Amino acid sequence: YDAKRAGRNRVVANMPDADLKAITAEFLLTNTDLAYKARKEVPWGKDIPDDIFLNDVLPYANVDEKRDPWRKEFYDMCMPMVKTCKSASEAAQVLNRELFKKINLKYSTERKAPNQSPKESMEQGKASCTGLSIVLSDACRAVCVPARLVGTPLWANKRGNHTWVEIWDKDWHFTGACE
């Protein structure tokens, strides 16, 4: 049984049509290899059920953000930050506390788009709650912390929306990005 091949097949089977035409084999292979490498390196990796890993660590995107190859940069930057962490929750907390300072990224309504890729957000130093959540989710995924974006499209008072991150550590837990 080749877990990496099964993972790649799952990613391809669930790709949006536009990504099927645009994503290269090299992009997909690198993304998959690094996800499985991180899983072997962190103490919590072995405890993540395969379905959670395939759905919430392996994917290369969260929503419709630009498809930048973020995983290697975040793996190289974030793995040293979490090297002493004993759990996915602890790793997510460290990333949320340290990463945004390191990359000089903060919330701003002056960002170019609400759903920026990590690269776009880092280049501007500004992101919406969605952009910040994409950065935290991708950073978590790069160190094998299962993560997903969650949000509300419109508050009950009809004033704006909001996006946040949930991480999985034996169950799903809320965390705000850059908070």
Side-chain angles (χ1 to χ4, degrees):
Y1 175 74
D2 183 350
K4 284 186 192 178
R5 179 175 292 175
R8 282 191 301 272
N9 289 344
R10 168 124 174 217
V11 169
V12 171
N14 290 288
M15 279 180 158
D17 289 343
D19 288 357
L20 284 169
K21 296 172 187 163
I23 299 288
T24 65
E26 181 182 351
F27 178 100
L28 188 59
L29 289 168
T30 300
N31 184 74
T32 305
D33 289 347
L34 286 168
Y36 281 92
K37 179 180 181 186
R39 189 177 197 182
K40 287 180 183 174
E41 291 181 13
V42 297
W44 56 88
K46 64 187 179 318
D47 298 325
I48 300 169
D50 287 342
D51 62 326
I52 298 286
F53 178 83
L54 293 170
N55 198 59
D56 301 294
V57 174
L58 189 56
Y60 57 84
N62 289 277
V63 285
D64 61 348
E65 73 272 22
K66 186 177 175 191
R67 305 314 196 215
D68 292 328
W70 52 264
R71 195 174 296 262
K72 181 167 182 0
E73 182 176 1
F74 278 156
Y75 174 89
D76 292 343
M77 184 186 313
C78 299
M79 196 58 86
M81 289 182 197
V82 303
K83 69 180 177 223
T84 62
C85 295
K86 304 288 187 249
S87 70
S89 294
E90 185 182 357
Q93 290 170 1
V94 166
L95 291 174
N96 206 8
R97 185 176 58 243
E98 302 298 326
L99 178 64
F100 294 97
K101 289 185 277 188
K102 183 171 181 73
I103 62 175
N104 195 27
L105 180 60
K106 61 184 178 275
Y107 175 81
S108 176
T109 56
E110 297 174 4
R111 79 287 187 246
K112 291 181 181 173
N115 56 341
Q116 297 171 160
S117 71
K119 182 178 178 183
E120 292 171 319
S121 292
M122 290 187 292
E123 285 174 352
Q124 293 175 55
K126 304 172 188 171
S128 67
C129 58
T130 303
L132 294 172
S133 295
I134 289 169
V135 167
L136 181 59
S137 174
D138 288 349
C140 283
R141 289 174 175 183
V143 297
C144 200
V145 173
R148 64 187 182 191
L149 264 57
V150 184
T152 181
L154 192 64
W155 292 116
N157 65 7
K158 303 196 185 312
R159 298 189 66 218
N161 65 337
H162 189 54
T163 305
W164 57 94
V165 176
E166 287 183 343
I167 62 104
W168 188 90
D169 188 358
K170 299 181 178 65
D171 201 359
W172 289 102
H173 305 279
F174 158 89
T175 186
C178 195
E179 293 180 4

